[in-house]
Amino acid sequence: MTTTDKAPVRAWLPTMLTLAAIWGCSFLFISVGVRELPPLYLALGRVSTGSVVLLAILVVKRESLPRDPKLWMHSFVVGAIGSAIPWTLFGYGEERIPSLLAGIWNGITPLIVLPIAVLIFRTETFSVQRGLGLVIGFAGMLVVLGAWHVQGGADLTGQALCMLAAVSYGLAIPYQKRFIAGTALSGTALSASLLLSATIQLAIVAPIVTGQAPPAPWSLSIEVVGSVVALGALGSGLAFVLSMRNIRLIGASRSSMVTYLMPVFSIVVGVIVLHEQIAWYQPVGGLIVLFGVAVSQGLLGSPRRKPVVTPEAPATT
């Protein structure tokens, strides 16, 4: 990807706001979807719908899917830890906690990426500033949890599941950067291979784990069907195309700042549409987490300093 730092704000800001809205609202759609669908089948509906959208884009662009077996092997891994597993975990989590709280937990992803990229994949280096950002972010996570009065139960389980989803994203991003990002194929072709891999995985696992066949689409309410379509077509299809546009305009690092806007949308739609309520300390903790992310990525320091995470493809929800 080429970075054009001089791209005018009006060229990329509307796209970034649209992305934040789509991905921030995804948590609402997950909350609606799990009312009638097991989380595994909701995730399957999402990846399969997203696959159809991206395959259609490839047809229009006259591009092909990857042909290298080794690349498909890596796509299979990223499809699991970057799509199938986290989207399923968010579904199980939102059976227990409000959607807006799940959106807040999604914001910790960059903090998870840093130690994994440094210690496991060795794609990044560590520094005092990044360590400070991690400490601040960890403190924010404890505030979100309300660690001073945690008593277990469904709420704690739901938050833990969403935290694990963010950890899964944290594994997927540096893995993709290490083993997939250097290929010459377009981002659309690569993402289509990831979603197809996730579709195959969930199509096998979902019936085994749930012990039931997928419900017929006509047996579901229009709200649930619409949520599945929105998650797949918008959150996993259109949003990716928009994200790639911004990456080409302003680079992967700056475009990843959409992470800061997503929780705002998830909170707003959760309160307005679903009438959800959360404790005062949860959004406060979310702000502390985002501040820790900003410190760890060097966004509050010299403008020449490179951020920690430079994902080659969006880490969405």
Side-chain angles (χ1 to χ4, degrees):
M1 294 301 168
T2 57
T3 302
T4 308
D5 294 328
K6 296 182 180 180
V9 173
R10 64 178 181 275
W12 56 266
L13 183 58
T15 303
M16 181 172 289
L17 292 174
T18 302
L19 281 171
I22 291 175
W23 284 333
C25 291
S26 292
F27 300 99
L28 178 149
F29 296 133
I30 293 173
S31 182
V32 173
V34 294
R35 293 175 183 175
E36 301 176 21
L37 282 171
L40 279 162
Y41 278 124
L42 177 62
L44 175 58
R46 177 175 183 173
V47 295
S48 58
T49 304
S51 297
V52 170
V53 171
L54 290 181
L55 287 174
I57 294 174
L58 288 178
V59 171
V60 172
K61 296 173 65 177
R62 297 183 179 180
E63 295 182 11
S64 61
L65 288 168
R67 298 180 181 179
D68 182 0
K70 186 176 181 180
L71 183 58
W72 273 103
M73 180 189 70
H74 290 308
S75 295
F76 197 82
V77 174
V78 178
I81 63 178
S83 298
I85 293 175
W87 293 348
T88 299
L89 289 174
F90 272 122
Y92 281 113
E94 290 194 43
E95 288 183 325
R96 298 163 174 82
I97 63 172
S99 67
L100 52 80
L101 186 52
I104 291 175
W105 277 112
N106 188 79
I108 76 169
T109 299
L111 290 177
I112 303 298
V113 170
L114 174 55
I116 292 175
V118 172
L119 300 175
I120 299 179
F121 295 103
R122 302 186 184 279
T123 57
E124 306 290 344
T125 57
F126 205 71
S127 68
V128 174
Q129 180 174 349
R130 291 171 176 177
L132 177 61
L134 281 178
V135 172
I136 295 173
F138 181 73
M141 291 165 60
L142 294 178
V143 174
V144 173
L145 278 172
W148 54 91
H149 64 72
V150 169
Q151 297 180 351
D155 181 82
L156 179 60
T157 301
Q159 294 198 58
L161 289 169
C162 292
M163 187 189 304
L164 287 174
V167 171
S168 189
Y169 281 148
L171 284 167
I173 293 171
Y175 185 99
Q176 183 169 338
K177 181 178 180 181
R178 176 76 177 271
F179 297 107
I180 296 180
T183 62
L185 292 173
S186 72
T188 305
L190 290 174
S191 284
S193 69
L194 302 182
L195 288 180
L196 285 171
S197 297
T199 299
I200 295 171
Q201 294 161 2
L202 287 169
I204 296 172
V205 173
I208 297 174
V209 174
T210 62
Q212 64 185 71
W218 53 84
S219 68
L220 304 173
S221 66
I222 187 65
E223 291 84 2
V224 171
V225 173
S227 294
V228 174
V229 172
L231 285 169
L234 297 179
S236 305
L238 176 62
F240 176 79
V241 177
L242 295 177
S243 179
M244 293 305 299
R245 176 183 182 275
N246 263 13
I247 290 174
R248 288 189 169 96
L249 284 174
I250 60 176
S253 300
R254 290 179 62 190
S255 64
S256 68
M257 289 190 295
V258 68
T259 305
Y260 296 88
L261 301 174
M262 288 167 54
V264 176
F265 284 94
S266 68
I267 291 174
V268 170
V269 298
V271 171
I272 294 177
V273 180
L274 298 179
H275 308 292
E276 295 177 336
Q277 296 181 349
I278 54 174
W280 64 268
Y281 53 82
Q282 290 167 335
V284 170
L287 290 175
I288 296 174
V289 168
L290 294 180
F291 178 70
V293 172
V295 172
S296 70
Q297 292 189 341
L299 297 178
L300 302 181
S302 171
R304 293 182 179 180
R305 186 173 297 168
K306 294 183 179 181
V308 172
V309 183
T310 54
E312 301 300 330
T316 77
T317 180

